[in-house]
Amino acid sequence: MQVVSKPPQGTLSVADLRFAPPGLPPAQLAEALRRAYGLEGTLKPLAGERDQNMRLLTSDGDYLAKVANPTEDPALIDFQIAALEHLAARDGTLPVPRMIPACDGALTVPVPHAGETLSLRLLSFLPGTPLNTTNHVSDRVARGIGHMLGRLNRAFTGFSHPAATHFMPWDTLKGLLESRQLSQDYLPDHLRSRCAPVIRRLAATGLPTMRAMPQVMIHGDAHSGNILIAPEDPERVCGLIDFGDMIAGPVLINLPMNIENSSPWPVTPSLR
């Protein structure tokens, strides 16, 4: 099983942070879903950094169809599937997506397109409103986020995978803060001088300390766009989505990011 290796420390570039999701035509995706899963409905495009994501609305419920980037290492797709399967077995009430098998039991379906074979998988669609639509973070919401991430970390106990230590560009420990190009060119002019001393301090002391911490399986991307709030109750956290940035790393990295306004925590700036 191939696993993506990381570039040398300090060489991460802006190009490493640019991704191009595949563009499988909706009609072809609809046919693949009908053929492989026996499902028909309306497809609605969703945002995606590396995958092409489409919401499938059917008379029996909604689903999330994910078409993997053809350049994605198959080991990373297997990693995400294995993680969600493990979480479902360990904590069946954890509010995270579930894998939906095809009619033949397969968890991935090959879809030929433009001379390539794309990998399609289907997940349950979690209802909820992304927290970043309001950024309302009360004490109750903060506790709910912490409780959910704690349950997630506990449910990940015993899970391992060869791709858990793969190179993931957004992993703070894999070069973002030490990249010469990113620290000079990627930051806006008005932030560059203000961030420089913080970046130097983190690179000199913070990162070595975190790299020495125990490595456990974490979601790695618990920002306000991936945290869901119950539509009927703006104080209740009801879900966590997008497991595409999972890594094995220190629990510290799993703290919520990019939560603004009324957040009771210090805001961590995001590069997204």
Side-chain angles (χ1 to χ4, degrees):
M1 180 180 290
Q2 181 185 1
V3 178
V4 176
S5 60
K6 66 177 182 178
Q9 210 162 283
T11 64
L12 197 64
S13 71
V14 173
D16 292 307
L17 306 180
R18 291 185 179 136
F19 310 96
L24 186 66
Q28 191 173 350
L29 175 57
E31 172 57 24
L33 291 168
R34 185 198 63 77
R35 172 178 47 83
Y37 295 91
L39 293 172
E40 296 186 70
T42 302
L43 288 169
K44 178 181 178 181
L46 298 172
E49 184 177 76
R50 296 190 298 272
D51 296 336
Q52 178 184 2
N53 298 318
M54 301 282 277
R55 181 179 181 178
L56 174 64
L57 298 90
T58 78
S59 58
D60 296 323
D62 295 356
Y63 302 88
L64 172 63
K66 294 181 73 70
V67 181
N69 193 303
T71 64
E72 188 88 304
D73 188 333
L76 300 183
I77 300 173
D78 184 74
F79 175 35
Q80 295 176 40
I81 292 173
L84 292 178
E85 291 284 275
H86 175 88
L87 293 175
R90 286 296 301 268
D91 187 347
T93 63
L94 192 65
V96 299
R98 307 290 182 209
M99 293 300 306
I100 306 296
C103 295
D104 63 0
L107 294 177
T108 60
V109 173
V111 181
H113 172 64
E116 298 179 305
T117 299
L118 304 178
S119 178
L120 166 67
R121 59 194 189 275
L122 193 67
L123 295 83
S124 59
F125 184 87
L126 294 190
T129 303
L131 179 57
N132 64 2
T133 60
T134 64
N135 276 318
H136 168 70
V137 185
S138 64
D139 287 346
R140 182 183 168 196
V141 171
R143 286 193 296 270
I145 294 172
H147 179 70
M148 179 176 61
L149 292 177
R151 284 182 61 190
L152 181 70
N153 287 346
R154 182 172 60 187
F156 265 140
T157 301
F159 176 68
S160 63
H161 192 279
T165 57
H166 75 283
F167 167 67
M168 195 274 287
W170 297 112
D171 181 355
T172 308
L173 302 186
K174 295 291 176 66
L176 273 179
L177 296 178
E178 297 159 308
S179 166
R180 291 179 294 274
Q181 182 183 8
L182 289 173
S183 62
Q184 295 298 315
D185 302 334
Y186 194 73
L187 285 173
D189 292 340
H190 70 284
L191 289 179
R192 193 173 303 149
S193 60
R194 296 171 61 188
C195 290
V198 177
I199 290 175
R200 286 196 298 268
R201 184 169 67 252
L202 286 172
T205 59
L207 298 186
T209 299
M210 285 194 288
R211 289 190 179 112
M213 292 177 177
Q215 307 287 294
V216 298
M217 201 64 59
I218 59 175
H219 179 274
D221 200 21
H223 64 75
S224 55
N226 289 334
I227 295 170
L228 301 180
I229 303 298
E232 73 283 1
D233 183 358
E235 295 287 303
R236 183 170 69 85
V237 176
C238 69
L240 180 67
I241 59 174
D242 191 356
F243 282 70
D245 289 344
M246 282 185 305
I247 54 169
V251 174
L252 180 64
I253 295 181
N254 212 35
L255 293 177
M257 304 182 300
N258 200 27
I259 295 176
E260 303 170 355
N261 295 341
S262 58
S263 170
W265 314 296
V267 175
T268 301
S270 172
L271 287 178
R272 292 186 181 238

